[in-house]
Amino acid sequence: MPGRRTSTSPLALAVLSTLIERPMHPYEIAQRLKHRGKDQSIKIRYGSLYTVVQNLADRGLVEAEGTARAGRRPERTVYRITEDGRAEMGDRLRELIRTPAKEYPLFEAALSLMIVLPPDEVADLLTERLRVLDKEMTATRAVLADLMDGQGMPRLFLLEAEYALALKQAETDWVRSMVAELADGSFEGLADWRTWHETSELPAEMRETDWFKADQALVHEESEDSA
């Protein structure tokens, strides 16, 4: 069991947490996850949910309890969580909450490569991103207010949305500061960035830095190794 803990995906954990309530068949699990908005924080492919449940059964984390029929629909296998499933779910959730994990957001990846675009274009793109972020946050706040105040949903069941909103707010603040620095010219290295796009060469001052020399040394080493 402990050796396989890290293989339990967020979707599998969502299945286990749903089965804590009572035994269900995969279709009902999918409907509940969708109704509760779990697809906003967990990547859910509803078509593969049966495979996820089967994998959990193969690991002994859930087991078939029987079958159920609704109206004229075909019978569906009903699953319940096992004691091993409860232990795995608890252990894996504790691990995910306690230990920060390196993730690879697409925006972070784009920022690491954005030097290949001219700074003025980047400023325009970030400005557009800022408009989208502001719009999304306004919509999210409205939804949260409706769920909590209008529908009476407890905050406990909205923490993931609250966290996502906090991350988006932090991103918005950072993007806004970047746009401001590019606009007023205070962004460090802006002139060098422009020069590189205008001449396809880095300024002499940058070529004299230890970082650039070490970077170029890697190119020479690779050339020698391939010779």
Side-chain angles (χ1 to χ4, degrees), residues 5-26:
R5 187 176 304 156
T6 55
S7 66
T8 305
S9 67
L11 178 53
L13 289 175
V15 170
L16 292 173
S17 69
T18 304
L19 291 179
I20 282 286
E21 301 174 32
R22 62 175 176 80
M24 302 180 197
H25 51 73

Side-chain angles (χ1 to χ4, degrees), residues 35 142-158:
H35 174 73
V143 170
L144 286 176
D146 177 64
L147 290 173
M148 295 181 69
D149 302 330
Q151 301 183 38
M153 182 177 289
R155 182 188 177 199
L156 178 62
F157 298 103
L158 295 169

